[in-house]
Amino acid sequence: MASSPKLNARVPEGQLAEKWTKYRSTVHLVNPSNKRSLEVIVVGSGLAGASAAASLAEMGYKVKVLYYQDSPRRAHSIAAQGGVNASKNYQNDGDSVYRLFYDTIKGGDYRSREANVHRLAEVSGNIIDQCVAQGVPFAREYGGTLSNRSFGGTQVQRTFYAAGQTGQQLLLGAYSALQRQVGMGAVQLLARHEMMDIVNIDGKCRGIICRDMVTGKLERHFGHAVLLCTGGYGNVFYLSTNAMGCNATAVWKAHRKGAFFGNPCYTQIHPTCIPVSGDHQSKLTLMSESLRNDGRIWVPKKQGETRKATDIPEEERDYYLERRYPAFGNLVPRDVASRAAKERCDAGYGVGSSKMAVYLDFAANTERYGKIEASKKNLHSPSKEEIVRLGKEVIKEKYGNLFDMYKQITGEDPYELPMRIYPAVHYTMGGLWVDYNLMTTVPGLYALGEANFSDHGANRLGASALMQGLADGYFVIPYTVGDYLSEEIRTKSISTDHEAFAKAEAEIQDRINKLMTVKGSKTVDHFHKRLGKIMWDKCGMARNKEGLTSAISEIQKLREDFWKEVRVPGEANEINPELEKAHRVADFLELGELMCKDALNRDESCGGHFREEFQTEEGEALRDDKNFAYVAAWEYKSDGNFELHKEELAYENIKIAARSYK
C-alpha cells in the first residue's frame, strides 16, 4: 500500500531514536529580529494553546490568542483529572522512553504514526521538569520525590498527578506563563471570541474570521501562521464527558477550506463515567481512570440481581476484568474495559435501577491501605473499624475530590458503597491530519493537541492527552513553526481589507442571516439530541454495516430538517448562546456523516472502532493489517461528498502483533 501523493508526512530520515534530535539540529531558524515582525494566531487557550502561545511569545513572535470562554483558565483542559504520563522511571519498575513509545503504539492498536509517537515519548520527561519549575503541585512521596500511579494499558507507574485535579493545575502553570507574556505585551488575548473560518490567500492560511460573542460583530485577523488548539469533537454525541461549549467548528471550517480530516471514526469511550440518569441531562461526568488503581470492577454472578452491593458475598461477585485479562486486570486500556462493561450489562448482569452500570469497589484496597497504616503507626491487633478508618484516610488523600464529586451527583457515599459506572463518550482520536511538523494540508495552518488526528491511533491510553497537548505546545511547535516561518520573513502583514478576508466574512454573514431567518418551530437542542442518539446507537461503542448505512441516511435527512425547522431566538448582533449553538450543531451534522462514512469504510475492528462483524471468538477486536494499516485522511469536496486519501503506516522498530492484555 502506498500513501496518497497528496499526503507528505515529512518524517525525517534516520534511526527512530535520532529523528527528533537530528531535526532540531538541522531545522531552519528565524533570527530574533525577524521574529518580532511575524504574527501567529492561536485559537484555543487550553493546555496546547496556552503552552504554544506562551512559548512562541517567549521566543519573540507576536501572538494573538482567542477563545470562547471569558478566561483562558476555563478551557476544558481543567476537567482532566487523573494525571500526565512521562517516562521518568522514578519507580525503578522498568520504564523507559521505548516502553512508553511501545505502550502508546500498542494501546492505539497499531494505528499510530511511529515517528510522532516516539517523539512524544522522548519529550515526556521534559514536560514534568517544565511544570515543576512552574510550580505545579504534583503529588509527592513522604521523602519529597514526585509520586506516580498506574493507568490503563501499562504495567509500570509513570503517571504524575495532582490529586484528581491534574488538568487544572497544569493549565494554571501554562496560564501563568501565558499571562507573563501578556504583561510584557507579547500576547494579545481575545476573550469571548469564536473562530468562524480560516482565510487562505495564494494557497496559504493567512488568518481567520471570528465572531465577538458579546457584540455579535465579525472580525478579521491576519497571521503568518494559524494554530488550531481547539480540542476534540466528542459533543457530536450530545451526551459526553465534554463541557457543553466544546465544539468542532474551528477544525470543521478548516476541513472545508482544504485541511484533510484524519480518522474521524476513532472515538474513545471512557469506561469510568457516572451512568445516565435521565433525558434531562446535557452532559456526563467522568470519574478519573486513576480510580482503577485502587478500585476493583465487578458485577453480580446472578443475572437481574436486586440485592445491595454490600449484601452480595465475595463468592457471588464476578471481577470480570481480572478474570478475562489477568496480566492487566482492572488496568486494561479504556476501549477494552468499556466493551467488557457493555457486554456484561447487555448479558443481564448490570446493576443499579437502569441495569446499565457496573460496580467500582474500593473496599479491598481501603482495607489493604488501613493495614499498612496501622503497621506504620505500630498498632498491634487493630480492629476492623480502625483499619477501615485508616484506609479511608489514605483513599481520601489520593482521590478525595473525586469521591466528593460522586457523592454530590449521585447522593451515595462511595466510601460506604461501591461507585456505579458505565462507559461514555470522552475523547476523539481523530482530528485534522497533520504531518511531522503538526502542519495540516493547508500550508501555514497547524493543529495541536486533540484537534489533530494525534499520536494515539485508534485508542488513547489514559493520562496521554495532557502529555500530548503540552508536548505539542512547549516542545514541538516552537521548532516546527519556525521552519515554516523562516520562509515567510519577506511576507509583510496582509491587510484584512484583502478580498479573501471580505469574501470569507461575507460567507459567514450569509450563514448567520440564514440561521436567523429560518424561524422554524424546533430548538437547536432538539436537533443536537436527535443527532446524538443516532451517533450513539449506530456509531458508538459498537458499529455494523447496516446501522452505519442507516445512520448516514438519517443524518442527511436530519440536516435537511435542521435548515428548514430550526428556530434561533434573539438577535445576531448581541450575546446569543442559541446562535452559537446553532453554528456548532450545523457543523456536527456534517461531521457526524463523515464519521459514519469513515466507520463504514473501515472493515475491521481496532481500538475505539469496533465493527461487530469483525471480532474474535472471544469478542475482542479483529484488525485487518493487510488492508487497513493506514491513516484515513478525508478531503472535503462538497456537502456530503468526501474523497479518501491514505497514509500508509509502516513500522520499522516494532513488530505488529495481536493486541493482548491477558
Side-chain angles (χ1 to χ4, degrees):
M1 180 197 312
S3 296
S4 166
K6 287 192 175 184
L7 298 175
N8 182 358
R10 294 183 175 85
V11 174
E13 298 292 332
Q15 295 295 316
L16 182 66
E18 300 172 0
K19 289 182 186 293
W20 180 234
T21 300
K22 182 178 180 180
Y23 177 96
R24 288 183 295 141
S25 301
T26 57
V27 70
H28 295 130
L29 303 176
V30 181
N31 80 47
S33 61
N34 284 332
K35 287 174 183 173
R36 291 193 289 270
S37 62
L38 292 169
E39 302 176 50
V40 179
I41 295 174
V42 178
V43 184
S45 65
L47 284 179
S51 60
S55 299
L56 294 176
E58 182 77 37
M59 295 170 71
Y61 295 106
K62 296 164 63 176
V63 180
K64 284 182 183 176
V65 182
L66 65 144
Y67 44 92
Y68 65 79
Q69 302 93 345
D70 55 4
S71 167
R73 290 174 298 175
R74 292 177 65 85
H76 192 57
S77 297
I78 67 166
Q81 299 165 340
V84 54
N85 287 332
S87 56
K88 287 282 196 179
N89 194 33
Y90 280 1
Q91 303 297 322
N92 194 30
D93 53 4
D95 200 10
S96 64
V97 167
Y98 183 85
R99 193 175 293 278
L100 174 54
F101 156 71
Y102 179 77
D103 284 346
T104 305
I105 291 282
K106 179 183 176 182
D109 221 348
Y110 302 93
R111 292 293 179 262
S112 312
R113 185 188 293 149
E114 189 179 51
N116 285 55
V117 177
H118 196 277
R119 176 176 65 188
L120 177 64
E122 285 182 71
V123 305
S124 64
N126 296 338
I127 295 171
I128 306 305
D129 298 339
Q130 170 88 359
C131 294
V132 168
Q134 290 174 336
V136 173
F138 286 120
R140 294 180 180 270
E141 302 289 357
Y142 179 78
T145 56
L146 295 181
S147 181
N148 293 118
R149 56 190 179 198
S150 298
F151 260 59
T154 71
Q155 291 180 306
V156 298
Q157 291 180 274
R158 64 163 66 102
T159 303
F160 296 78
Y161 63 98
Q165 307 167 353
T166 312
Q168 182 181 33
Q169 298 301 328
L170 291 174
L171 185 61
L172 288 173
Y175 173 75
S176 65
L178 178 64
Q179 285 299 118
R180 176 175 182 271
Q181 297 303 319
V182 172
M184 295 174 66
V187 172
Q188 179 185 357
L189 297 182
L190 297 171
R192 302 289 289 150
H193 281 66
E194 183 158 27
M195 193 197 101
M196 307 302 291
D197 208 352
I198 65 169
V199 178
N200 295 335
I201 300 176
D202 298 329
K204 295 182 179 181
C205 182
R206 293 301 191 189
I208 64 168
I209 306 295
C210 64
R211 179 176 180 269
D212 184 325
M213 296 163 66
V214 176
T215 66
K217 180 183 177 182
L218 295 180
E219 298 179 1
R220 309 172 185 181
H221 295 276
F222 165 79
H224 289 91
V226 175
L227 279 53
L228 300 184
C229 310
T230 52
Y233 49 91
N235 271 353
V236 70
F237 291 87
Y238 187 70
L239 285 179
S240 79
T241 65
N242 288 229
M244 285 299 291
C246 295
N247 63 86
T249 288
V251 294
W252 191 251
K253 291 299 190 289
H255 174 58
R256 288 176 64 101
K257 285 291 185 71
F260 292 5
F261 210 109
N263 296 333
C265 77
Y266 287 161
T267 306
Q268 180 165 87
I269 312 296
H270 199 294
T272 319
C273 299
I274 297 178
V276 177
S277 61
D279 292 337
H280 64 282
Q281 281 186 269
S282 58
K283 76 175 297 294
L284 298 173
T285 302
L286 171 68
M287 291 285 99
S288 171
E289 180 172 318
S290 62
L291 296 174
R292 290 200 276 150
N293 273 288
D294 293 314
R296 300 180 70 195
I297 296 172
W298 63 277
V299 293
K301 290 183 178 179
K302 175 185 174 184
Q303 291 178 320
E305 179 64 75
T306 58
R307 288 177 292 176
K308 291 196 324 183
T310 50
D311 293 337
I312 301 174
E314 188 73 14
E315 62 272 14
E316 296 181 33
R317 302 179 179 187
D318 177 16
Y319 295 92
Y320 58 90
L321 290 178
E322 298 172 34
R323 169 173 56 83
R324 292 178 60 177
Y325 309 101
F328 283 74
N330 296 296
L331 288 173
V332 292
R334 292 174 176 177
D335 59 318
V336 177
S338 294
R339 284 196 298 273
K342 181 179 186 297
E343 184 275 328
R344 287 291 81 190
C345 291
D346 289 348
Y349 297 95
V351 302
S353 58
S354 68
K355 299 300 180 185
M356 296 300 287
V358 299
Y359 287 129
L360 179 59
D361 195 336
F362 291 84
N365 277 308
T366 297
E367 185 173 338
R368 180 173 67 86
Y369 283 129
K371 290 179 179 179
I372 293 172
E373 289 300 300
S375 179
K376 287 161 61 175
K377 295 177 183 296
N378 202 27
L379 298 177
H380 301 289
S381 303
S383 66
K384 177 71 176 291
E385 291 75 16
E386 184 70 6
I387 289 173
V388 170
R389 183 186 67 79
L390 291 171
K392 284 181 179 179
E393 290 177 0
V394 176
I395 294 291
K396 185 173 184 178
E397 182 178 352
K398 296 179 72 173
Y399 310 112
N401 64 308
L402 298 173
F403 276 51
D404 292 343
M405 185 166 62
Y406 181 88
K407 184 176 181 179
Q408 289 174 6
I409 292 172
T410 66
E412 298 178 0
D413 186 351
Y415 292 107
E416 304 297 333
L417 296 171
M419 289 183 179
R420 288 176 292 107
I421 58 169
Y422 192 72
V425 172
H426 180 52
Y427 185 94
T428 49
M429 284 73 68
L432 295 183
W433 183 92
V434 294
D435 61 16
Y436 189 76
N437 298 326
L438 304 184
M439 188 189 290
T440 69
T441 47
V442 177
L445 179 67
Y446 293 79
L448 283 65
E450 194 179 355
N452 68 34
F453 84 99
S454 79
D455 305 331
H456 310 299
N459 174 66
R460 177 178 67 81
L461 293 183
S464 287
L466 304 186
M467 175 174 63
Q468 188 212 345
L470 291 175
D472 287 355
Y474 281 137
F475 300 109
V476 178
I477 201 66
Y479 287 98
T480 62
V481 78
D483 185 52
Y484 172 76
L485 292 176
S486 68
E487 301 295 327
E488 298 297 317
I489 57 177
R490 295 178 182 83
T491 302
K492 304 300 181 183
S493 295
I494 298 174
S495 171
T496 53
D497 291 332
H498 190 285
E499 61 180 357
F501 280 93
K503 181 181 178 183
E505 181 180 328
E507 290 173 351
I508 294 300
Q509 188 61 59
D510 287 345
R511 179 178 162 110
I512 291 174
N513 295 340
K514 186 176 180 181
L515 284 169
M516 297 303 299
T517 55
V518 174
K519 295 191 181 302
S521 60
K522 295 181 172 62
T523 66
V524 176
D525 281 343
H526 166 84
F527 292 98
H528 197 177
K529 287 180 179 180
R530 285 177 59 189
L531 173 64
K533 181 168 176 52
I534 294 170
M535 294 298 297
W536 177 250
D537 289 345
K538 299 178 179 179
C539 194
M541 239 192 300
R543 302 101 183 257
N544 58 58
K545 182 177 182 179
E546 180 181 359
L548 290 166
T549 303
S550 171
I552 292 169
S553 298
E554 291 178 47
I555 293 171
Q556 291 171 343
K557 177 63 168 61
L558 184 62
R559 189 163 66 244
E560 291 178 14
D561 293 345
F562 174 86
W563 288 104
K564 292 177 182 177
E565 301 178 26
V566 72
R567 181 173 184 82
V568 180
E571 300 296 332
N573 297 322
E574 63 182 14
I575 296 176
N576 192 336
E578 288 302 307
L579 177 58
E580 297 161 17
K581 285 196 292 184
H583 280 295
R584 298 163 184 171
V585 172
D587 295 329
F588 280 142
L589 285 165
E590 296 179 7
L591 172 58
E593 180 180 353
L594 178 59
M595 292 172 67
C596 292
K597 287 184 174 180
D598 187 40
L600 182 62
N601 180 76
R602 189 171 283 276
D603 288 338
E604 67 164 351
S605 290
C606 57
H609 169 67
F610 190 76
R611 282 281 297 272
E612 294 175 337
E613 307 96 318
F614 306 101
Q615 56 182 300
T616 66
E617 293 182 359
E618 295 81 20
E620 305 293 344
L622 184 61
R623 292 196 323 266
D624 181 351
D625 296 323
K626 179 179 179 181
N627 296 305
F628 293 96
Y630 62 77
V631 177
W634 293 88
E635 179 182 7
Y636 177 85
K637 292 294 188 180
S638 60
D639 288 351
N641 183 19
F642 309 91
E643 180 181 350
L644 174 63
H645 302 275
K646 301 176 182 180
E647 178 197 341
E648 179 187 6
L649 291 172
Y651 295 102
E652 300 176 1
N653 294 269
I654 61 170
K655 180 181 179 181
I656 296 181
R659 185 169 171 247
S660 173
Y661 292 94
K662 298 178 181 180

